[in-house]
Amino acid sequence: MRHDGRSADQLRPLRIQPGFVRSASGSALIEAGGTRVICTASVDEQVPRWMRDSGRGWVTAEYGMLPASTGERKQRDVSKGRPDGRTVEIQRLIGRALRAAVDLDALGERTVWIDCDVLEADGGTRCASITGGFVALELALRGLVDAGKLDAVPLNGSVAAVSCGVVDGVPLLDLDYPEDSGAEVDMNVVMTGDGGLVEVQATGERTPLSRTSLDALLGLAAAGIDELRAAQQAAVAAAATPA
């Protein structure tokens, strides 16, 4: 039994609220335990210069943590003149993950920006950003179909992400901050809804990661992502249901 009463294979309490930002093309507030992230999708009817006349679209992401998201004030990137290395790494991960689910040819020459702003950070912010970001993305793409700009939603499937790790020798799913900070092995797994691996980030913080532990963690992640996908589907369906 973990410090918060969960079993080893149990996600934190999860809630995805679609349409959280009315001015965005698509949006969702995702809450995973004490972590809360606002994800918004904005559509730009052009692509980066290097993609012009290719006939293909693009999906990219930006990520940031609000100053009070960690309890102690975090300096805004704008005050430093540029994003720090961690921020750049995370937003590139979010962009890569979401592009894995999109048919960029069918999207056409337009860009979908996914902005992920962390309200509160209690571990797993990049994973929550990917999971909630996909909901915002799908809602934005459905909006393009409703507006007659696309014939069909240009998605090849879905994508979600979850953290896992080895704490005191035990493989655990969906680490919160106390678990993450004390983990011997820390891992983030991005998967498609049909079980394909998009990205695995694994670090042996204190001990090397054994093949047995890797297999156990991937099994935990796959089961967790099944639950996350169900929550994503429910959120999109709720957004499509008239109030």
Side-chain angles (χ1 to χ4, degrees):
M1 190 67 69
R2 299 157 77 169
H3 73 91
D4 57 3
R6 287 185 292 149
S7 59
D9 60 352
Q10 188 175 359
L11 292 172
R12 289 176 290 176
L14 177 70
R15 182 186 181 211
I16 303 176
Q17 182 179 344
F20 189 75
V21 179
R22 290 176 294 179
S23 56
S25 301
S27 68
L29 170 66
I30 181 167
E31 302 176 70
T35 290
R36 299 197 301 154
V37 185
I38 295 175
C39 305
T40 58
S42 303
V43 179
D44 185 358
E45 292 293 333
Q46 58 185 347
V47 291
R49 183 180 305 172
W50 55 273
M51 290 192 70
R52 289 177 187 170
D53 301 321
S54 68
R56 307 180 76 232
W58 190 242
V59 176
T60 190
E62 290 190 3
Y63 167 96
M65 300 178 69
L66 296 187
S69 60
T70 59
E72 296 182 5
R73 187 180 188 278
K74 183 182 184 297
Q75 187 178 6
R76 294 182 190 271
D77 287 339
V78 68
S79 66
K80 297 181 287 185
R82 59 183 175 83
D84 61 30
R86 177 181 180 274
T87 296
V88 171
E89 181 241 330
I90 291 175
Q91 60 192 29
R92 286 178 176 171
L93 168 65
I94 297 167
R96 287 194 304 272
L98 296 177
R99 286 193 296 273
V102 179
D103 182 342
L104 297 177
D105 291 314
L107 178 60
E109 287 201 23
R110 54 176 57 89
T111 300
V112 183
W113 289 86
I114 307 298
D115 291 289
C116 303
D117 294 286
V118 179
L119 298 178
E120 294 183 72
D122 185 30
T125 61
R126 70 187 68 194
C127 294
S129 295
I130 292 168
T131 302
F134 179 80
V135 173
L137 172 63
E138 183 170 351
L139 293 176
L141 296 177
R142 288 177 178 272
L144 290 174
V145 174
D146 293 341
K149 295 181 178 181
L150 290 173
D151 294 330
V153 177
L155 289 174
N156 299 317
S158 66
V159 67
V162 72
S163 68
C164 48
V166 178
V167 181
D168 295 330
V170 180
L172 301 177
L173 177 67
D174 195 10
L175 307 184
D176 61 15
Y177 180 75
E179 292 172 333
D180 183 61
S181 61
E184 295 103 68
V185 174
D186 178 26
M187 190 159 86
N188 298 300
V189 180
V190 185
M191 295 181 72
T192 61
D194 59 4
L197 286 170
V198 176
E199 189 150 343
V200 177
Q201 298 180 333
T203 304
E205 301 283 358
R206 300 182 184 178
T207 58
L209 175 61
S210 69
R211 178 61 182 269
T212 300
S213 293
L214 175 62
D215 290 342
L217 292 174
L218 288 175
L220 286 174
I225 285 174
D226 283 344
E227 295 184 50
L228 294 174
R229 178 55 187 152
Q232 289 173 322
Q233 290 175 322
V236 171
T241 303

